[in-house]
Amino acid sequence: RGKINVKQALAERIKAVRETGLADEIIVEEYEGQKIDDIQRLGIDIFTVGSDWKGKFDYLKKYCSVVYLERTEGISSSEIRATEKEIRVGVIGNVGILEKYIREAEYVNGLKIIGFCADNEKYIPENSKKLPFLTTHYEELLEQVDAVFVLSHPHRHYEDGKRALKCGKHVLCEAPVAVAEKQAIELFDISNQNGCIFFDSIKTAYATAYKRALLLATGGKIGEVVSVQTTCTSMREKQEAAKELLYKKWNSMCAWGPTAMLPVFQLFGTDYKDLRMTSRLSMEDESFDEFSKIDFSYNKAVASIQIGKAVKAEGEMVIAGTEGYIYIPAPWWKTDYFEIRYENQENNRRYFYQLDGEGLRYEFVSFVRSIKDKKNYSAISPEVSIATAKIMEDFYCKRFVQI
């Protein structure tokens, strides 16, 4: 563990080991503590690793012999990666998640956040002061970087993303990428025309448990999928609202809508037959929905999402099928565990997967690999991003029932 290898994907590393002819079996480590489990399960006699890890795995000596091998002189994958050009990234926005982005970027080889841009100096957070470049002028930031993380208010995503793409910069944009369908389409068109990578950032899409749950659902593990229900709510920002009305910076639709809709669109597609949106709006600001519910109708399937920043509910996801259902407990959007449940409870099964950094670092890995390979490895298709922007447009055009 440590920094994530961006140079060589997991499948490529497995292939390379297999082609040496030295390994009888290759096992992927997917959770903390797996080494002990595998040693006991397979009756391992010797555990061996490079001498640069000397002492780190002594705790395994109670289960088998531990041997630290000297490194081959002159050969170091870490040194090889260090000689490659790092992707310099700038961040634009006034949000509190900057610290998380800086922290998670440190786990990814080939990526370095070097600058931050805010509208006003008073919005430059203390945690960004250690970055080498700080500015209140976006053009200055764009001159210094290869890519931009757009963390500004959703109503600015389109302009901030467009300006970066027009300058030939790669963009990772917090969802939604835009609040209008045409704007989202234009952003993807510009990225294609300029040969830039453009990512819609929803870290849930990179969480192993989430991806496996959807694979099992589409693979027929619960029969034909008939319904998806997701709930995403939070109260923390509202409770801190007395400071600066923080919770009004991002309404429920923008803060939670893209995440809640993600499994709906990834399982059923974006070509829904009908949509019904219901929202409870703030008395002080009609652009702020305290709570919203969206119901989708598909051919032989339905979906429902509940989102709120002033309402609390159980943040779970249920994928219902003709033979069983998949249950992901709260908070489902950053889970490392889910269950498949059947009528006969003896057939129920639980699945556990390691999740580091809530999926954000794995999103960064895909972003960096996409830039270096000049091929988009985003876990979110443009169709999903555009459909999400269409829902945002419906909301701001008041195409909903108000309660």
Side-chain angles (χ1 to χ4, degrees), residues 179-180 390-400:
V179 294
K390 171 67 166 60
I391 301 294
M392 301 297 139
E393 184 176 353
D394 288 342
F395 173 78
Y396 286 108
C397 290
K398 297 189 180 298
R399 301 176 189 136
F400 58 82

Side-chain angles (χ1 to χ4, degrees), residues 58-70:
D58 285 354
Y59 70 93
L60 296 176
K61 288 182 177 179
K62 66 172 69 173
Y63 305 102
C64 67
S65 297
V66 176
V67 177
Y68 297 99
L69 294 174
E70 291 300 321

Side-chain angles (χ1 to χ4, degrees), residues 43-214:
I44 299 301
D45 299 308
I46 301 171
F47 174 88
T48 182
V49 69
S51 59
D52 51 325
W53 290 95
K54 195 163 187 177
K56 298 290 185 181
F57 295 102
D58 285 354
Y59 70 93
L60 296 176
K61 288 182 177 179
K62 66 172 69 173
Y63 305 102
C64 67
S65 297
V66 176
V67 177
Y68 297 99
L69 294 174
E70 291 300 321
R71 299 176 68 97
T72 307
E73 191 174 346
I75 303 296
S76 170
S77 59
S78 298
E79 290 177 6
I80 292 171
R81 288 193 295 271
T83 62
E84 295 179 344
K85 182 179 180 295
E86 280 191 318
I87 294 170
R88 299 166 301 161
V89 178
V91 179
I92 181 168
N94 303 325
V95 294
I97 58 175
L98 173 63
E99 184 175 357
K100 182 184 292 184
Y101 269 66
I102 294 174
R103 183 174 65 249
E104 290 299 302
E106 292 176 353
Y107 287 93
V108 181
N109 274 310
L111 175 70
K112 189 172 183 63
I113 296 178
I114 67 161
F116 178 74
C117 176
D119 293 335
N120 189 300
E121 286 188 7
K122 71 177 183 179
Y123 293 128
I124 297 178
E126 196 63 35
N127 58 349
S128 70
K129 300 291 178 66
K130 61 183 179 182
L131 297 176
F133 187 81
L134 300 174
T135 182
T136 56
H137 301 287
Y138 194 23
E139 294 80 6
E140 292 180 357
L141 181 72
L142 292 175
E143 290 175 359
Q144 301 291 325
V145 300
D146 306 305
V148 176
F149 290 165
V150 176
L151 309 181
S152 51
H153 189 276
H155 283 277
R156 290 188 46 177
H157 287 180
Y158 166 69
E159 287 297 338
D160 290 340
K162 182 178 178 179
R163 287 169 68 182
L165 292 170
K166 286 278 191 181
C167 292
K169 310 301 179 181
H170 309 287
V171 174
L172 176 70
C173 181
E174 272 291 302
V177 298
V179 294
E181 182 180 25
K182 286 185 178 180
Q183 291 178 346
I185 293 172
E186 184 182 354
L187 289 172
F188 283 102
D189 286 343
I190 295 172
S191 67
N192 291 331
Q193 292 165 10
N194 290 5
C196 297
I197 297 299
F198 181 55
F199 261 41
D200 187 340
S201 175
I202 305 178
K203 60 182 180 294
T204 302
Y206 300 85
T208 304
Y210 169 80
K211 292 190 293 183
R212 296 291 169 86
L214 263 59

Side-chain angles (χ1 to χ4, degrees), residues 270-322:
T270 58
D271 189 20
Y272 46 87
K273 293 170 59 178
D274 189 33
L275 176 147
R276 179 183 173 86
M277 188 187 308
T278 306
S279 295
R280 173 188 165 112
L281 304 181
S282 166
M283 297 288 288
E284 294 81 22
D285 183 355
E286 288 194 352
S287 68
F288 181 83
D289 57 322
E290 297 179 334
F291 175 83
S292 289
K293 185 175 187 291
I294 305 178
D295 297 304
F296 300 86
S297 296
Y298 289 86
N299 185 29
K300 294 187 176 181
V302 295
S304 178
I305 74 165
Q306 294 187 110
I307 51 178
K309 292 189 76 178
V311 172
K312 190 62 182 174
E314 187 71 11
E316 60 189 15
M317 175 162 73
V318 178
I319 305 173
T322 55

Side-chain angles (χ1 to χ4, degrees), residues 211-253:
K211 292 190 293 183
R212 296 291 169 86
L214 263 59
L215 280 172
L216 290 172
T218 55
K221 200 73 175 177
I222 56 172
E224 182 182 353
V225 180
V226 176
S227 169
V228 177
Q229 294 178 306
T230 66
T231 299
C232 299
T233 64
S234 58
M235 296 287 285
R236 184 172 61 254
E237 288 179 336
K238 184 184 178 185
Q239 291 165 353
E240 296 174 354
K243 297 178 182 177
E244 278 189 76
L245 294 180
L246 292 177
Y247 77 108
K248 291 199 173 183
K249 290 187 176 181
W250 287 57
N251 59 20
S252 303
M253 189 60 62

Side-chain angles (χ1 to χ4, degrees), residues 343-388:
E343 187 72 19
N344 183 354
Q345 296 183 11
E346 292 180 359
N347 296 327
N348 292 358
R349 186 173 175 188
R350 298 179 178 183
Y351 295 80
F352 297 87
Y353 298 96
Q354 180 97 4
L355 178 63
D356 297 317
E358 302 177 14
L360 193 57
R361 65 188 64 171
Y362 302 110
E363 181 178 64
F364 289 170
V365 168
S366 295
F367 185 60
V368 172
R369 288 195 64 224
S370 296
I371 294 171
K372 293 192 173 184
D373 293 353
K374 298 181 180 179
K375 181 179 179 181
N376 199 309
Y377 295 116
S378 174
I380 303 169
S381 69
E383 291 76 19
V384 170
S385 301
I386 292 167
T388 301

